[in-house]
Amino acid sequence: MTTRPVTSRLLRTRWRSGPVPLTLCPVVVSVTDFTATSHPQAGAIALAGLRLRRTWPRTPGALGMWLWAEVASRRSGSVSVWRDEGALGEFVGRPDHIAVVRAHRGRGTMRAAAWEAEDFDPYAVWSRARALLTGTTSWPQGFVRLEDA
């Protein structure tokens, strides 16, 4: 008897708006990818992401975000869009975000990428992020401008 290979499926939440209005302007996009060492740990980090998502309408400098998950692979993360690099940095340094990072440190692997885009185009941002998350495109090293990637 042969077994069928398990195919993984990338799931995504609906767009969650932040307080910055969606206008044509330069933005910073951040993509995170956490692979947990176990399924219970994957569930815990996904729940932590959902809790942080609740704060998005009040997160300074945020245009919005999507959460994503690939359950079979124990992976999850976010694709967030920011007014500028400073706003992203302020979020990363927020006490609630730091608490999540510390709570899950050593329980999986994390990678992240960020880039600038001239205008916010949801389709283009998600397509580029999806290409990273599915392995179609290699992850860049450090902060890059979209046109350099």
Side-chain angles (χ1 to χ4, degrees):
M1 181 167 105
T2 60
T3 59
R4 297 174 68 185
V6 176
T7 56
S8 214
R9 184 171 172 210
L10 197 63
L11 304 173
R12 173 180 80 169
T13 63
R14 290 184 183 185
W15 174 256
R16 176 72 168 193
S17 294
V20 176
L22 296 177
T23 60
L24 292 178
C25 62
V27 296
V28 170
V29 179
S30 172
V31 179
T32 62
D33 180 355
F34 183 81
T35 303
T37 54
S38 69
H39 283 287
Q41 186 62 38
I45 193 68
L47 260 168
L50 286 168
R51 285 187 197 107
L52 285 174
R53 185 177 186 265
R54 288 186 207 149
T55 70
W56 226 251
R58 300 178 309 282
T59 300
L63 276 76
M65 58 98 75
W66 295 280
L67 292 178
W68 66 271
E70 192 175 51
V71 178
S73 300
R74 303 179 319 276
R75 294 174 58 216
S76 64
S78 65
V79 177
S80 56
V81 183
W82 302 90
R83 177 186 61 231
D84 55 35
E85 192 176 354
L88 170 57
E90 287 177 26
F91 171 74
V92 169
R94 257 179 33 182
D96 57 345
H97 182 261
I98 290 171
V100 168
V101 170
R102 287 183 179 156
H104 301 282
R105 184 173 284 148
R107 297 183 177 154
T109 57
M110 175 74 174
R111 60 184 170 175
W115 67 85
E116 290 181 346
E118 287 301 313
D119 295 312
F120 175 60
D121 173 353
Y123 178 79
V125 165
W126 179 253
S127 293
R128 173 147 169 76
R130 184 174 172 73
L132 288 173
L133 298 171
T134 60
T136 305
T137 303
S138 298
W139 283 73
Q141 300 299 313
F143 188 88
V144 297
R145 296 185 189 291
L146 182 58
E147 53 274 7
D148 298 335

